[in-house]
Structure formats: structure tokens, C-alpha cells
Amino acid sequence: MLTTQKNRFSHLLENLLYIAEIKNSSLAKALQYDVSYISKWINGRKLPAERNRKKILSCISHAIVSQCSAAGLRDLYDNYRVSTPTALEKVIYDNLEAEYNYVIDTKQTYGTTVPPETTFQPELTPSQYIMKMHHPVLRRVSNLHIMAQIDLLSLMHEHRLQIVQNHLRYDEYRDYPDVHFSLMIDLAESKINYDYDPIFLIKMIADMVRIDFHLYAGAQASGRMIFTVKDDFMISGMLADTNRCICITISSDTDNCNPVYTSIQDCCTQEMLLFEKTTMSDMIVYKDYERSILALNQHWILGHVTEHFLPDDLFEELLEQTKQYADIRKNMKTIRYLHKLTKRMLEQTPVDILIYSNALFNFAIDNTLDFFDHAIHLTIDQKKRFMQHLLKLNMEKENLSFKLVYETSGTDFDNDFTQCLFLSDSIAYARLDTKNGNNNLVIFHQSDMKQLLHNFFEHFWNDSSLTDDRENVQNYIKEILHRVNIIRDLKNN
């Protein structure tokens, strides 16, 4: 008697029902289907009808959550790293749909719902390669270990974005510390477009910090497209040009996946690591913050508003507002010192400051200031005093050079860039704008990355399309102040 090999969808459905402690008959009753259909879905003999798949998968997800045992719910919440029934139902649906689509694609490609363990293809476009790279295993948010060597900067922009944004579809408001992703890229100077690439890299880091992400630079990644998930999946090929990948191997055989995983892992050494995560408390304790203020050759890029431009009275108010945070309370004396140091340096030391006009405009709208890595909402009066002080610095301090990046800038300087970079001879670090407020700080130690960021700053600082006339910059700040006053007047009426 022939037996049907179970596909990925059937394995997932069976596992979900097992964790939830739901019988086939109970699911059949909830779906108003004969129990034989459920059995065929689980043993791999059938799939839900494609024309009704969204409705069926939605009903399955709802039934699993609503009928799940208390112990099963705890396991599912932990497995998917969510905390509400609505969120759990959504991620289960997403997981089921990903596996269903994978099985359908497998059937269309190979004529069977279970693909061969290893396949070879002579050539794919980057888009086709990336589609095959988006394996359903990437929906897993626990015990997921990924290694990759991808010549990212040799790819067209849209292909890069497909790789770094689409293959890990996690909630941007949550952290996933058990998802480990190490990526090696080639940072050869000849491949870098300073109109785009540095911003792309910083935004990629900001997007990936919610997982355990490590980015390495190595010539070994040149011309390579290798992506492997430990124990589960691999796809490897060579990038012949921007439109062609050749010699592709795809495998779900552990004996193929793990040697590739290990070989990339061996290449990813500490000296190749482009950044390290840190905390504001560590930056204060280990004097990295102080070093960044005292350093020579200071270049700042501001995509959001920070504590660097606070008048004394407003600083004290915000310090009082934030002392409930343990890291602030523990370092209050040092933070006061750092404020005084910053104030003195901004009065006397040359600093080149490239600021996004949207950083000020957004501040006028949402009142949020990054105060030593805490998002603080200012009152209208506090916001006005901040802007007045910034205007005063711009008008009175000749040592400070401001340039504005407008939305209408003729450069490719990405206008929704909301990160901050603080560059100097001694230290380079980023204050990232993350949705969940965690993992906001990264320090760049690797020399190639530090040089890339300095070159990036110089490239845009010298761009003729940016506004550098002091009067124009002051006029923009006055316009923002005017809008703050309008908001204040409306609030008071």
C-alpha cells in the first residue's frame, strides 16, 4: 500500500493541534467540515481548496486559539512571542499561509507537495533566487540560526530591500532574541554608492536590531549568494551580474545545510564585525558618551531630536521627569556632568551638524525628544524653549555649522531617515529610531565601517543642494517655532 509523504503544511497543522490539545473532530466541527477532510490535511493526502484557503486558514487559526488548552496557550504564546489572543491568531494564520503557499509552489515546480531534499538550477534572476530564499522556516521565532554571505552592495536596490525586509516578517514592536542572523557582505570601496549605501546599511541595522543580528565585512562575500538555516535549509549560488545568479543549489538536507553554516560561521570573526549593540548606561559608565563629546573632528547627522541642545532649566526638568528609570537614577550625577560638558563644547568647539528638516518638523508635531535614550514627551512650553535655544545656538555660535536636508533635496539622501549618527576621530556610534524603544544604540568599531561613515558625511556635507546658509537655517527653525506657537495658542483656547 502506498503511503503519502507528509508535507510542511500537514506537519505544522498536526503540531499546532497537538500543542493546543485539540482533536480532529473538534476542528472539523468548528470548520463545519467532515472530519475526514481534517485527517487528509494532516496526513498530507489533501490540501484545503485554494479558492477557499484564506477563509479556511482563518477559521483554523481562530479555532486553535479559542479551543486551546491553558497549557497549550502558554506554549503557543512562548513559541510565537506574542501575548494576546488576537496577536496569536494572526501569527498562526501567517505561519499556516506561508507553509500552504510553499507547498503549492512546490507542487507546481516538482509535481509533488514534498520537494526533493536537494535540487540544482543553472540560473535564476535575483528576484527568483530571493523568492526561494524566503523559506517558511523563517517564520520560526525560537531556535532559529541563520548564516549568510551575500554580496549585498552588488545587487540592485529593490533586491537588497527584498532580502533584508521581507524574509524575516516579525512584529517591529517586539524583540526576538532567539532569532540569530549573521550576515557577511563585501564593503569594497568600488561597490559603495555614497548617495545610497551608507543610509541603506544604517536602516538595515535599525530594522534588524529586534533580532540577534550581526553584520560582518569580508571579501569572502564578493560574488556570493549563500543563505543557510542551521539543520533546515540552504540556498547557494554565485552572483554573475546584477541580473543573474548561477550554479544554484537548494537543499533541506542537514548534511548539506550544516557544513555550509559552519564554514560561514568560521569566517565571521570579531575583527570583521561592523557594529556592536550597547546601552546608554554602558556608554556613560565606560565613558563612551564623554569620549564622543570631547573627540576631535565631530560630525553629527540628526534624524531625530536629542538631549544635546537643551538649556539648563529644561535639562533639569527632563532629568526630574526621567529619574524613575533605573539607568537615569543610577547615573544622575554623571548625566548632569555630561550636560555641562556638552553645553561647554557646543559653545567653544567646532561641530558640523547635518540635520533633517523632518527631525524638527516631527518634533513640532509629536513632542518627542530622545533624552539619553528615553523617548520623552515634552509639553508645548518645553518644546518652545527647546526650539528657542536651538535657534540661539545657531545665531550666536560661530563654531557650530548647521546644514539642513529638506524633503525636496535633490540628493538621494533618504528623507525618512530618522536615525542619528555621531562621528569623530575617537568614536562612531548611532542612536537608532526603533519602534519598540529597545536596542537603540550601536557602536562602530571596525575601521572600514567607520571610514565609510566619515566618507558618507563628507560626501553629503559638500553637496551643493543642501541648505547651509545660516540665515536660511535660522528661518527654518523660526518657521517651526511659529508652528509650535500656533499649536500652543490652539491648546490654550
Side-chain angles (χ1 to χ4, degrees):
M1 180 178 177
L2 292 175
T3 59
T4 303
Q5 191 176 358
K6 298 180 71 167
N7 56 62
R8 292 186 62 91
F9 177 84
S10 62
H11 277 296
L12 175 61
L13 180 58
E14 182 178 39
N15 187 52
L16 288 170
L17 294 179
Y18 173 78
I19 293 173
E21 300 179 40
I22 297 174
K23 295 180 179 179
N24 292 5
S25 56
S26 298
L27 179 62
K29 184 176 180 180
L31 270 60
Q32 296 184 346
Y33 270 65
D34 190 279
V35 70
S36 63
Y37 278 92
I38 312 301
S39 298
K40 290 174 183 177
W41 295 345
I42 289 174
N43 64 31
R45 293 178 60 193
K46 292 282 186 181
L47 286 171
E50 193 162 3
R51 67 180 182 275
N52 296 325
R53 66 179 176 84
K54 288 187 178 295
K55 180 180 178 181
I56 294 172
L57 298 184
S58 180
C59 289
I60 292 174
S61 306
H62 180 72
I64 288 172
V65 175
S66 61
Q67 297 184 29
C68 189
S69 68
L73 273 177
R74 287 194 297 271
D75 287 343
L76 289 174
Y77 282 139
D78 185 56
N79 289 347
Y80 285 104
R81 292 192 62 81
V82 294
S83 56
T84 66
T86 301
L88 181 59
E89 195 171 318
K90 182 177 184 297
V91 295
I92 289 175
Y93 174 90
D94 182 63
N95 199 175
L96 287 166
E97 184 179 48
E99 296 291 6
Y100 182 93
N101 290 339
Y102 179 82
V103 173
I104 291 295
D105 181 66
T106 298
K107 188 174 182 179
Q108 292 172 346
T109 303
Y110 303 107
T112 175
T113 60
V114 180
E117 283 194 331
T118 303
T119 61
F120 305 93
Q121 298 201 30
E123 183 172 323
L124 291 173
T125 67
S127 291
Q128 291 170 330
Y129 180 100
I130 293 165
M131 284 184 65
K132 294 186 178 298
M133 190 177 112
H134 292 167
H135 194 275
V137 71
L138 300 177
R139 292 297 194 278
R140 200 168 70 214
V141 296
S142 61
N143 195 31
L144 183 63
H145 298 264
I146 306 167
M147 283 280 170
Q149 285 179 334
I150 300 176
D151 197 356
L152 208 59
L153 300 187
S154 292
L155 291 168
M156 296 174 65
H157 296 170
E158 58 267 30
H159 295 145
R160 301 183 199 180
L161 294 175
Q162 289 170 9
I163 288 173
V164 303
Q165 292 182 355
N166 293 344
H167 74 285
L168 295 169
R169 297 181 184 175
Y170 302 139
D171 187 336
E172 60 189 356
Y173 293 94
R174 299 180 184 275
D175 289 330
Y176 300 91
D178 205 22
V179 176
H180 311 280
F181 180 22
S182 293
L183 170 63
M184 176 177 282
I185 64 173
D186 184 19
L187 274 187
E189 177 70 21
S190 60
K191 294 180 178 177
I192 297 171
N193 178 348
Y194 284 102
D195 284 336
Y196 182 85
D197 293 340
I199 284 184
F200 168 78
L201 292 174
I202 298 301
K203 292 181 73 172
M204 176 175 68
I205 293 169
D207 189 52
M208 291 289 190
V209 291
R210 62 190 186 275
I211 66 172
D212 180 31
F213 177 59
H214 301 269
L215 184 63
Y216 298 85
Q220 299 96 320
S222 181
R224 293 196 177 188
M225 294 283 285
I226 305 175
F227 184 89
T228 180
V229 180
K230 187 178 181 181
D231 298 329
D232 282 294
F233 172 74
M234 64 151 287
I235 177 169
S236 70
M238 302 299 294
L239 188 64
D241 54 51
T242 57
N243 293 308
R244 195 161 58 102
C245 300
I246 60 173
C247 304
I248 296 97
T249 301
I250 305 170
S251 182
S252 57
D253 185 346
T254 300
D255 290 339
N256 290 328
C257 301
N258 288 354
V260 175
Y261 181 96
T262 302
S263 68
I264 298 175
Q265 187 178 43
D266 290 342
C267 293
C268 295
T269 60
Q270 183 68 24
E271 56 268 23
M272 293 180 171
L273 186 63
L274 294 185
F275 72 90
E276 290 182 323
K277 295 178 183 178
T278 187
T279 65
M280 181 58 70
S281 186
D282 281 349
M283 287 196 69
I284 292 172
V285 169
Y286 298 116
K287 298 189 179 299
D288 288 325
Y289 191 106
E290 183 175 353
R291 191 175 295 113
S292 74
I293 296 300
L294 291 172
L296 300 176
N297 193 29
Q298 296 217 34
H299 296 154
W300 298 357
I301 300 175
L302 303 180
H304 63 264
V305 174
T306 64
E307 76 281 344
H308 293 80
F309 307 102
L310 292 171
D312 291 338
D313 57 343
L314 183 52
F315 165 79
E316 287 295 336
E317 290 175 24
L318 298 186
L319 187 61
E320 181 68 21
Q321 286 178 225
T322 55
K323 70 179 183 181
Q324 75 268 24
Y325 299 110
D327 60 321
I328 296 288
R329 189 167 57 251
K330 180 177 68 174
N331 296 303
M332 283 187 74
K333 183 177 179 181
T334 307
I335 288 172
R336 279 197 174 95
Y337 163 74
L338 292 173
H339 167 70
K340 292 176 182 178
L341 178 65
T342 303
K343 181 182 176 184
R344 182 69 60 87
M345 293 297 291
L346 289 178
E347 289 172 347
Q348 301 177 5
T349 304
V351 184
D352 293 336
I353 303 168
L354 191 59
I355 185 166
Y356 272 90
S357 60
N358 276 350
L360 299 179
F361 182 78
N362 292 337
F363 175 64
I365 301 300
D366 66 17
N367 311 334
T368 303
L369 182 139
D370 178 354
F371 185 79
F372 292 94
D373 200 33
H374 289 282
I376 306 300
H377 293 283
L378 275 60
T379 66
I380 299 294
D381 175 68
Q382 289 173 331
K383 182 166 57 175
K384 180 178 178 180
R385 286 151 56 203
F386 174 90
M387 294 302 302
Q388 287 172 333
H389 186 67
L390 181 63
L391 179 60
K392 182 179 179 181
L393 289 173
N394 191 275
M395 295 176 68
E396 296 180 0
K397 303 303 176 186
E398 295 294 330
N399 56 295
L400 301 181
S401 299
F402 287 88
K403 289 191 178 184
L404 275 174
V405 183
Y406 284 101
E407 286 187 71
T408 55
S409 171
T411 72
D412 286 332
F413 203 34
D414 197 335
N415 289 303
D416 66 349
F417 187 76
T418 57
Q419 327 307 327
C420 293
L421 292 174
F422 296 90
L423 313 175
S424 67
D425 288 348
S426 301
I427 186 172
Y429 80 98
R431 307 264 293 259
L432 304 174
D433 178 30
T434 58
K435 297 296 184 182
N436 65 6
N438 298 331
N439 301 314
N440 291 352
L441 292 159
V442 296
I443 295 181
F444 303 100
H445 293 302
Q446 209 263 0
S447 58
D448 287 348
M449 186 65 179
K450 289 168 71 174
Q451 188 59 53
L452 180 149
L453 293 174
H454 280 288
N455 292 347
F456 163 63
F457 182 92
E458 292 294 340
H459 176 77
F460 280 104
W461 187 258
N462 296 319
D463 192 291
S464 60
S465 67
L466 299 185
T467 299
D468 62 348
D469 180 83
R470 295 186 77 88
E471 185 177 352
N472 284 338
V473 176
Q474 291 163 20
N475 286 338
Y476 184 81
I477 297 174
K478 289 175 182 178
E479 286 292 334
I480 296 298
L481 258 172
H482 177 61
R483 282 153 179 77
V484 171
N485 285 328
I486 290 174
I487 296 172
R488 181 202 59 188
D489 293 342
L490 288 174
K491 295 278 187 181
N492 290 337
N493 290 334

mmCIF file of all heavy atoms in Angstrom, residues 299-330:
data_model
loop_
_atom_site.group_PDB
_atom_site.id
_atom_site.type_symbol
_atom_site.label_atom_id
_atom_site.label_comp_id
_atom_site.label_asym_id
_atom_site.label_seq_id
_atom_site.Cartn_x
_atom_site.Cartn_y
_atom_site.Cartn_z
ATOM 1 N N HIS A 299 31.369 65.157 13.592
ATOM 2 C CA HIS A 299 30.357 65.241 12.541
ATOM 3 C C HIS A 299 29.097 64.552 13.045
ATOM 4 O O HIS A 299 29.127 63.368 13.386
ATOM 5 C CB HIS A 299 30.837 64.546 11.257
ATOM 6 C CG HIS A 299 32.033 65.184 10.639
ATOM 7 N ND1 HIS A 299 32.925 64.477 9.848
ATOM 8 C CD2 HIS A 299 32.497 66.454 10.694
ATOM 9 C CE1 HIS A 299 33.880 65.281 9.437
ATOM 10 N NE2 HIS A 299 33.647 66.491 9.928
ATOM 11 N N TRP A 300 27.986 65.285 13.081
ATOM 12 C CA TRP A 300 26.733 64.720 13.566
ATOM 13 C C TRP A 300 25.698 64.718 12.439
ATOM 14 O O TRP A 300 25.573 65.688 11.689
ATOM 15 C CB TRP A 300 26.166 65.537 14.734
ATOM 16 C CG TRP A 300 27.033 65.586 15.954
ATOM 17 C CD1 TRP A 300 28.219 64.946 16.161
ATOM 18 C CD2 TRP A 300 26.755 66.322 17.157
ATOM 19 N NE1 TRP A 300 28.704 65.247 17.398
ATOM 20 C CE2 TRP A 300 27.836 66.084 18.044
ATOM 21 C CE3 TRP A 300 25.716 67.156 17.568
ATOM 22 C CZ2 TRP A 300 27.902 66.649 19.311
ATOM 23 C CZ3 TRP A 300 25.772 67.717 18.829
ATOM 24 C CH2 TRP A 300 26.852 67.471 19.694
ATOM 25 N N ILE A 301 24.950 63.628 12.366
ATOM 26 C CA ILE A 301 23.788 63.549 11.471
ATOM 27 C C ILE A 301 22.574 63.269 12.358
ATOM 28 O O ILE A 301 22.538 62.260 13.061
ATOM 29 C CB ILE A 301 23.939 62.435 10.426
ATOM 30 C CG1 ILE A 301 25.184 62.674 9.562
ATOM 31 C CG2 ILE A 301 22.686 62.355 9.547
ATOM 32 C CD1 ILE A 301 25.461 61.549 8.570
ATOM 33 N N LEU A 302 21.603 64.173 12.335
ATOM 34 C CA LEU A 302 20.470 64.085 13.250
ATOM 35 C C LEU A 302 19.169 63.830 12.491
ATOM 36 O O LEU A 302 18.677 64.685 11.770
ATOM 37 C CB LEU A 302 20.353 65.372 14.075
ATOM 38 C CG LEU A 302 21.603 65.754 14.889
ATOM 39 C CD1 LEU A 302 21.355 67.041 15.664
ATOM 40 C CD2 LEU A 302 22.014 64.638 15.835
ATOM 41 N N GLY A 303 18.638 62.636 12.688
ATOM 42 C CA GLY A 303 17.346 62.298 12.111
ATOM 43 C C GLY A 303 16.223 62.417 13.110
ATOM 44 O O GLY A 303 15.049 62.269 12.753
ATOM 45 N N HIS A 304 16.559 62.639 14.367
ATOM 46 C CA HIS A 304 15.561 62.961 15.390
ATOM 47 C C HIS A 304 16.230 63.840 16.443
ATOM 48 O O HIS A 304 17.449 64.010 16.455
ATOM 49 C CB HIS A 304 14.929 61.701 15.995
ATOM 50 C CG HIS A 304 15.884 60.793 16.723
ATOM 51 N ND1 HIS A 304 16.463 59.686 16.128
ATOM 52 C CD2 HIS A 304 16.357 60.813 17.989
ATOM 53 C CE1 HIS A 304 17.237 59.072 17.001
ATOM 54 N NE2 HIS A 304 17.203 59.741 18.145
ATOM 55 N N VAL A 305 15.438 64.413 17.328
ATOM 56 C CA VAL A 305 15.918 65.409 18.283
ATOM 57 C C VAL A 305 16.458 64.715 19.537
ATOM 58 O O VAL A 305 15.817 63.810 20.087
ATOM 59 C CB VAL A 305 14.776 66.383 18.652
ATOM 60 C CG1 VAL A 305 15.202 67.329 19.757
ATOM 61 C CG2 VAL A 305 14.351 67.175 17.415
ATOM 62 N N THR A 306 17.631 65.151 19.983
ATOM 63 C CA THR A 306 18.296 64.541 21.131
ATOM 64 C C THR A 306 18.545 65.568 22.237
ATOM 65 O O THR A 306 18.284 66.767 22.068
ATOM 66 C CB THR A 306 19.641 63.927 20.710
ATOM 67 O OG1 THR A 306 20.509 64.982 20.271
ATOM 68 C CG2 THR A 306 19.453 62.912 19.594
ATOM 69 N N GLU A 307 19.114 65.088 23.352
ATOM 70 C CA GLU A 307 19.341 65.936 24.529
ATOM 71 C C GLU A 307 20.514 66.894 24.390
ATOM 72 O O GLU A 307 20.777 67.691 25.292
ATOM 73 C CB GLU A 307 19.564 65.050 25.769
ATOM 74 C CG GLU A 307 20.935 64.402 25.862
ATOM 75 C CD GLU A 307 21.107 63.176 24.993
ATOM 76 O OE1 GLU A 307 20.085 62.625 24.531
ATOM 77 O OE2 GLU A 307 22.248 62.750 24.767
ATOM 78 N N HIS A 308 21.211 66.867 23.271
ATOM 79 C CA HIS A 308 22.435 67.661 23.134
ATOM 80 C C HIS A 308 22.178 69.174 23.134
ATOM 81 O O HIS A 308 23.105 69.942 23.401
ATOM 82 C CB HIS A 308 23.165 67.271 21.851
ATOM 83 C CG HIS A 308 23.715 65.879 21.877
ATOM 84 N ND1 HIS A 308 22.924 64.771 21.631
ATOM 85 C CD2 HIS A 308 24.958 65.406 22.145
ATOM 86 C CE1 HIS A 308 23.669 63.673 21.735
ATOM 87 N NE2 HIS A 308 24.904 64.033 22.035
ATOM 88 N N PHE A 309 20.971 69.609 22.841
ATOM 89 C CA PHE A 309 20.704 71.043 22.654
ATOM 90 C C PHE A 309 19.747 71.598 23.713
ATOM 91 O O PHE A 309 18.924 72.461 23.417
ATOM 92 C CB PHE A 309 20.129 71.288 21.254
ATOM 93 C CG PHE A 309 20.976 70.706 20.153
ATOM 94 C CD1 PHE A 309 20.612 69.520 19.550
ATOM 95 C CD2 PHE A 309 22.135 71.335 19.749
ATOM 96 C CE1 PHE A 309 21.389 68.968 18.538
ATOM 97 C CE2 PHE A 309 22.917 70.801 18.742
ATOM 98 C CZ PHE A 309 22.559 69.609 18.133
ATOM 99 N N LEU A 310 19.861 71.128 24.933
ATOM 100 C CA LEU A 310 18.933 71.551 25.979
ATOM 101 C C LEU A 310 19.487 72.721 26.779
ATOM 102 O O LEU A 310 20.646 72.676 27.220
ATOM 103 C CB LEU A 310 18.648 70.392 26.938
ATOM 104 C CG LEU A 310 17.864 69.200 26.387
ATOM 105 C CD1 LEU A 310 17.859 68.070 27.397
ATOM 106 C CD2 LEU A 310 16.445 69.619 26.028
ATOM 107 N N PRO A 311 18.670 73.754 27.024
ATOM 108 C CA PRO A 311 19.064 74.773 28.005
ATOM 109 C C PRO A 311 19.039 74.164 29.402
ATOM 110 O O PRO A 311 18.381 73.140 29.642
ATOM 111 C CB PRO A 311 17.995 75.856 27.837
ATOM 112 C CG PRO A 311 16.803 75.135 27.302
ATOM 113 C CD PRO A 311 17.335 74.020 26.445
ATOM 114 N N ASP A 312 19.724 74.811 30.336
ATOM 115 C CA ASP A 312 19.891 74.241 31.683
ATOM 116 C C ASP A 312 18.570 73.947 32.376
ATOM 117 O O ASP A 312 18.385 72.872 32.967
ATOM 118 C CB ASP A 312 20.723 75.187 32.546
ATOM 119 C CG ASP A 312 22.175 75.260 32.108
ATOM 120 O OD1 ASP A 312 22.642 74.302 31.444
ATOM 121 O OD2 ASP A 312 22.832 76.269 32.409
ATOM 122 N N ASP A 313 17.650 74.912 32.340
ATOM 123 C CA ASP A 313 16.399 74.717 33.068
ATOM 124 C C ASP A 313 15.585 73.557 32.495
ATOM 125 O O ASP A 313 15.003 72.753 33.231
ATOM 126 C CB ASP A 313 15.575 76.011 33.080
ATOM 127 C CG ASP A 313 15.270 76.534 31.684
ATOM 128 O OD1 ASP A 313 15.933 76.109 30.708
ATOM 129 O OD2 ASP A 313 14.360 77.386 31.566
ATOM 130 N N LEU A 314 15.566 73.436 31.163
ATOM 131 C CA LEU A 314 14.817 72.354 30.536
ATOM 132 C C LEU A 314 15.495 71.007 30.801
ATOM 133 O O LEU A 314 14.816 69.993 31.032
ATOM 134 C CB LEU A 314 14.683 72.602 29.033
ATOM 135 C CG LEU A 314 13.856 71.593 28.233
ATOM 136 C CD1 LEU A 314 12.487 71.382 28.846
ATOM 137 C CD2 LEU A 314 13.733 72.041 26.778
ATOM 138 N N PHE A 315 16.816 71.003 30.795
ATOM 139 C CA PHE A 315 17.536 69.769 31.121
ATOM 140 C C PHE A 315 17.135 69.268 32.505
ATOM 141 O O PHE A 315 16.855 68.074 32.697
ATOM 142 C CB PHE A 315 19.050 70.011 31.061
ATOM 143 C CG PHE A 315 19.849 68.917 31.708
ATOM 144 C CD1 PHE A 315 20.092 67.727 31.043
ATOM 145 C CD2 PHE A 315 20.325 69.059 33.005
ATOM 146 C CE1 PHE A 315 20.806 66.701 31.656
ATOM 147 C CE2 PHE A 315 21.038 68.048 33.629
ATOM 148 C CZ PHE A 315 21.282 66.858 32.945
ATOM 149 N N GLU A 316 17.107 70.166 33.495
ATOM 150 C CA GLU A 316 16.765 69.756 34.848
ATOM 151 C C GLU A 316 15.332 69.237 34.934
ATOM 152 O O GLU A 316 15.045 68.279 35.656
ATOM 153 C CB GLU A 316 16.962 70.920 35.832
ATOM 154 C CG GLU A 316 18.413 71.245 36.117
ATOM 155 C CD GLU A 316 19.140 70.116 36.840
ATOM 156 O OE1 GLU A 316 18.473 69.302 37.520
ATOM 157 O OE2 GLU A 316 20.372 70.025 36.706
ATOM 158 N N GLU A 317 14.431 69.850 34.189
ATOM 159 C CA GLU A 317 13.047 69.382 34.182
ATOM 160 C C GLU A 317 12.950 67.960 33.620
ATOM 161 O O GLU A 317 12.242 67.102 34.161
ATOM 162 C CB GLU A 317 12.175 70.330 33.359
ATOM 163 C CG GLU A 317 11.948 71.692 34.002
ATOM 164 C CD GLU A 317 11.182 72.627 33.085
ATOM 165 O OE1 GLU A 317 10.463 72.125 32.198
ATOM 166 O OE2 GLU A 317 11.312 73.858 33.252
ATOM 167 N N LEU A 318 13.658 67.716 32.525
ATOM 168 C CA LEU A 318 13.587 66.396 31.895
ATOM 169 C C LEU A 318 14.312 65.348 32.737
ATOM 170 O O LEU A 318 13.889 64.184 32.777
ATOM 171 C CB LEU A 318 14.176 66.455 30.485
ATOM 172 C CG LEU A 318 13.455 67.376 29.499
ATOM 173 C CD1 LEU A 318 14.046 67.245 28.105
ATOM 174 C CD2 LEU A 318 11.961 67.101 29.455
ATOM 175 N N LEU A 319 15.375 65.755 33.399
ATOM 176 C CA LEU A 319 16.067 64.830 34.295
ATOM 177 C C LEU A 319 15.132 64.412 35.432
ATOM 178 O O LEU A 319 15.083 63.236 35.817
ATOM 179 C CB LEU A 319 17.329 65.481 34.847
ATOM 180 C CG LEU A 319 18.256 64.590 35.671
ATOM 181 C CD1 LEU A 319 18.776 63.421 34.843
ATOM 182 C CD2 LEU A 319 19.409 65.401 36.237
ATOM 183 N N GLU A 320 14.382 65.355 35.952
ATOM 184 C CA GLU A 320 13.414 65.062 37.007
ATOM 185 C C GLU A 320 12.320 64.132 36.480
ATOM 186 O O GLU A 320 11.878 63.208 37.191
ATOM 187 C CB GLU A 320 12.805 66.362 37.525
ATOM 188 C CG GLU A 320 11.800 66.201 38.660
ATOM 189 C CD GLU A 320 12.422 65.723 39.959
ATOM 190 O OE1 GLU A 320 13.641 65.890 40.134
ATOM 191 O OE2 GLU A 320 11.674 65.171 40.797
ATOM 192 N N GLN A 321 11.874 64.376 35.238
ATOM 193 C CA GLN A 321 10.820 63.557 34.641
ATOM 194 C C GLN A 321 11.267 62.110 34.422
ATOM 195 O O GLN A 321 10.433 61.196 34.411
ATOM 196 C CB GLN A 321 10.390 64.149 33.289
ATOM 197 C CG GLN A 321 9.549 65.405 33.382
ATOM 198 C CD GLN A 321 9.202 65.965 32.029
ATOM 199 O OE1 GLN A 321 9.301 67.165 31.794
ATOM 200 N NE2 GLN A 321 8.803 65.112 31.101
ATOM 201 N N THR A 322 12.558 61.908 34.243
ATOM 202 C CA THR A 322 13.043 60.575 33.868
ATOM 203 C C THR A 322 13.731 59.833 35.004
ATOM 204 O O THR A 322 14.231 58.727 34.795
ATOM 205 C CB THR A 322 14.026 60.678 32.683
ATOM 206 O OG1 THR A 322 15.082 61.594 33.027
ATOM 207 C CG2 THR A 322 13.333 61.165 31.436
ATOM 208 N N LYS A 323 13.753 60.402 36.193
ATOM 209 C CA LYS A 323 14.507 59.755 37.263
ATOM 210 C C LYS A 323 13.848 58.468 37.758
ATOM 211 O O LYS A 323 14.454 57.717 38.526
ATOM 212 C CB LYS A 323 14.720 60.731 38.427
ATOM 213 C CG LYS A 323 13.473 61.081 39.214
ATOM 214 C CD LYS A 323 13.826 62.027 40.358
ATOM 215 C CE LYS A 323 12.607 62.346 41.229
ATOM 216 N NZ LYS A 323 12.969 63.279 42.307
ATOM 217 N N GLN A 324 12.617 58.185 37.290
ATOM 218 C CA GLN A 324 12.008 56.918 37.656
ATOM 219 C C GLN A 324 12.670 55.745 36.935
ATOM 220 O O GLN A 324 12.520 54.591 37.339
ATOM 221 C CB GLN A 324 10.501 56.912 37.376
ATOM 222 C CG GLN A 324 10.112 56.768 35.909
ATOM 223 C CD GLN A 324 9.949 58.118 35.231
ATOM 224 O OE1 GLN A 324 10.525 59.116 35.668
ATOM 225 N NE2 GLN A 324 9.156 58.156 34.170
ATOM 226 N N TYR A 325 13.408 56.045 35.842
ATOM 227 C CA TYR A 325 14.126 54.988 35.133
ATOM 228 C C TYR A 325 15.408 54.654 35.893
ATOM 229 O O TYR A 325 16.183 55.538 36.254
ATOM 230 C CB TYR A 325 14.456 55.411 33.710
ATOM 231 C CG TYR A 325 13.238 55.701 32.863
ATOM 232 C CD1 TYR A 325 12.934 57.000 32.468
ATOM 233 C CD2 TYR A 325 12.397 54.670 32.459
ATOM 234 C CE1 TYR A 325 11.816 57.272 31.691
ATOM 235 C CE2 TYR A 325 11.278 54.926 31.686
ATOM 236 C CZ TYR A 325 10.992 56.228 31.307
ATOM 237 O OH TYR A 325 9.886 56.488 30.544
ATOM 238 N N ALA A 326 15.660 53.362 36.098
ATOM 239 C CA ALA A 326 16.789 52.941 36.925
ATOM 240 C C ALA A 326 18.117 53.442 36.379
ATOM 241 O O ALA A 326 18.984 53.878 37.147
ATOM 242 C CB ALA A 326 16.798 51.411 37.033
ATOM 243 N N ASP A 327 18.298 53.387 35.048
ATOM 244 C CA ASP A 327 19.592 53.796 34.480
ATOM 245 C C ASP A 327 19.828 55.299 34.647
ATOM 246 O O ASP A 327 20.965 55.736 34.854
ATOM 247 C CB ASP A 327 19.688 53.391 33.014
ATOM 248 C CG ASP A 327 18.607 54.026 32.164
ATOM 249 O OD1 ASP A 327 17.460 54.133 32.633
ATOM 250 O OD2 ASP A 327 18.902 54.426 31.018
ATOM 251 N N ILE A 328 18.753 56.095 34.564
ATOM 252 C CA ILE A 328 18.887 57.538 34.779
ATOM 253 C C ILE A 328 19.184 57.816 36.256
ATOM 254 O O ILE A 328 20.094 58.590 36.596
ATOM 255 C CB ILE A 328 17.600 58.276 34.352
ATOM 256 C CG1 ILE A 328 17.352 58.117 32.843
ATOM 257 C CG2 ILE A 328 17.672 59.757 34.737
ATOM 258 C CD1 ILE A 328 18.301 58.885 31.959
ATOM 259 N N ARG A 329 18.416 57.190 37.131
ATOM 260 C CA ARG A 329 18.585 57.418 38.570
ATOM 261 C C ARG A 329 19.991 57.026 39.024
ATOM 262 O O ARG A 329 20.623 57.717 39.835
ATOM 263 C CB ARG A 329 17.528 56.616 39.327
ATOM 264 C CG ARG A 329 17.444 56.918 40.808
ATOM 265 C CD ARG A 329 16.182 56.335 41.417
ATOM 266 N NE ARG A 329 16.068 54.901 41.220
ATOM 267 C CZ ARG A 329 15.190 54.326 40.389
ATOM 268 N NH1 ARG A 329 14.350 55.057 39.685
ATOM 269 N NH2 ARG A 329 15.144 53.009 40.269
ATOM 270 N N LYS A 330 20.506 55.932 38.478
ATOM 271 C CA LYS A 330 21.824 55.445 38.867
ATOM 272 C C LYS A 330 22.940 56.393 38.415
ATOM 273 O O LYS A 330 23.985 56.490 39.057
ATOM 274 C CB LYS A 330 22.041 54.045 38.269
ATOM 275 C CG LYS A 330 23.384 53.416 38.600
ATOM 276 C CD LYS A 330 23.483 52.016 38.027
ATOM 277 C CE LYS A 330 23.535 52.034 36.506
ATOM 278 N NZ LYS A 330 23.769 50.683 35.934
#
